[in-house]
Amino acid sequence: MTIERETPAVGGLELVAARLAEWQVDDGPVQLHPGDLGWFWRFGAERTAGAVRTWARDGEILAIGMLDEPDLLRLAIAPGAHDDEELARRIVADAVDPEEGVLIAGKVYLEAPMESRVRDLLFLEGWDADDPWQPLERDLAEPVEDCGLAIEVVTAETAAERTAIQRASFDGSTFTDERWHAMADGTPYARARCLIGRDAHGVAVGAVTVWSAGKGRPGLIEPLGVVRDHRGRGYGQAMTVAAAAALRELGASRAQVLTPCFNEGAVATYRSAGFALLPQRRDQYRKE
């Protein structure tokens, strides 16, 4: 059967999110998560749909890509399809040709599961490996310890504080109240939570969003931030522990997070919160 590529309508995003959730399995590859889709949803449903590409055979979706940026495609592949030659060749053909409407011309990046045939074919096309990223995860079979902060679940009424913490934690953040509400209206957020952490004086020191893929499946932490003026006091570790606890309450089998390897402080923070290192991963890129 021929592989068909589509850009879904807004109404098709529910199926995309469901497939991404189904593909999250313990001991499987770290790949595009429904939480990644949910975090992107802050830009609105129409823009989210426009950033998604699906590849299907005989009506069955086998791969899903999301354009985090016009020059970055993040890819998830269905279990059992990582070595599918026809699928891989179609994805690569679409990715390397700007006329196909997947990636733009010039220098571009593609994030694919590390053991996928797509990566082999991209190397044959002359693509290179980019700087490494470090995935980490924590098994959630056992109860999670208390994080030491007062943790609140964000609601529509308290969303403004959540977005203010994000902007106070990340330079250049554009997370607004409107974008929080757009994210919360998205399908993936039905299995997600935003948390605010407060110190002993009731001051908000950090925030995090966690995304479940369903009971017994790996959940995702994205994003986590500590307010600039409160860094260096262990709050990053505390918020990470709180995130793990929330994912366990949501039924996740483990909590996963991903950070650039050069961000040694973030790696140390996650490890101090009980997260173990997974094999590093590298995006691939085409030179200009």
Side-chain angles (χ1 to χ4, degrees):
M1 296 288 182
T2 302
I3 300 294
E4 300 286 345
R5 188 193 75 239
E6 291 187 355
T7 298
V10 169
L13 288 176
E14 183 174 356
L15 177 60
V16 168
R19 290 293 176 269
L20 285 175
E22 292 170 3
W23 298 350
Q24 310 303 314
V25 295
D26 290 344
D27 300 322
V30 177
Q31 58 179 355
L32 186 70
H33 190 279
D36 295 310
L37 186 74
W39 176 237
F40 191 95
W41 215 300
R42 69 194 186 278
F43 299 118
E46 289 188 4
R47 183 168 166 184
T48 302
V52 172
R53 304 291 185 271
T54 64
W55 287 266
R57 180 189 291 120
D58 197 24
E60 179 185 1
I61 297 176
L62 298 176
I64 296 170
M66 186 186 78
L67 290 161
D68 241 349
E69 300 289 347
D71 63 351
L72 170 59
L73 179 71
R74 303 179 62 189
L75 189 68
I77 300 175
H82 290 80
D83 294 327
D84 188 309
E85 188 73 19
E86 182 185 28
L87 173 66
R89 289 190 178 279
R90 177 59 195 271
I91 292 172
V92 169
D94 290 343
V96 301
D97 185 356
E99 295 299 321
E100 290 295 333
V102 178
L103 285 165
I104 59 175
K107 189 174 184 178
V108 293
Y109 301 82
L110 194 149
E111 173 193 295
M114 288 299 292
E115 303 302 324
S116 66
R117 179 62 175 153
V118 169
R119 290 181 60 84
D120 298 335
L121 295 178
L122 284 175
F123 282 132
L124 291 174
E125 290 283 342
W127 289 43
D128 292 325
D130 198 26
D131 295 334
W133 287 72
Q134 181 62 66
L136 302 95
E137 71 174 18
R138 174 169 172 167
D139 190 289
L140 299 178
E142 301 297 328
V144 177
E145 67 275 16
D146 183 78
C147 73
L149 295 175
I151 300 297
E152 299 175 6
V153 177
V154 176
T155 66
E157 289 71 32
T158 58
E161 189 169 22
R162 168 68 182 93
T163 62
I165 295 170
Q166 185 78 11
R167 295 191 299 273
S169 301
F170 294 95
D171 294 334
S173 172
T174 60
F175 198 34
T176 62
D177 298 356
E178 181 181 7
R179 287 185 171 177
W180 186 92
H181 287 284
M183 178 185 74
D185 285 341
T187 299
Y189 199 77
R191 294 192 290 206
R193 286 181 187 168
C194 279
L195 309 175
I196 291 173
R198 299 185 186 279
D199 67 12
H201 303 287
V203 176
V205 296
V208 64
T209 303
V210 298
W211 305 88
S212 170
K215 187 174 181 179
R217 301 184 183 278
L220 179 70
I221 298 173
E222 174 64 13
L224 183 154
V226 173
V227 176
R228 298 178 191 88
D229 293 342
H230 296 283
R231 292 175 182 167
R233 306 177 193 178
Y235 295 142
Q237 175 188 351
M239 290 305 303
T240 304
V241 170
L247 283 170
R248 190 174 190 272
E249 290 177 5
L250 290 167
S253 58
R254 56 197 65 221
Q256 295 182 336
V257 68
L258 191 67
T259 189
C261 287
F262 66 76
N263 193 345
E264 296 178 359
V267 173
T269 293
Y270 296 133
R271 296 205 69 183
S272 70
F275 282 63
L277 299 175
L278 294 174
Q280 293 178 0
R281 57 183 299 168
R282 293 173 180 265
D283 295 353
Q284 291 167 280
Y285 69 93
R286 178 183 67 209
K287 297 177 182 178
E288 295 184 54

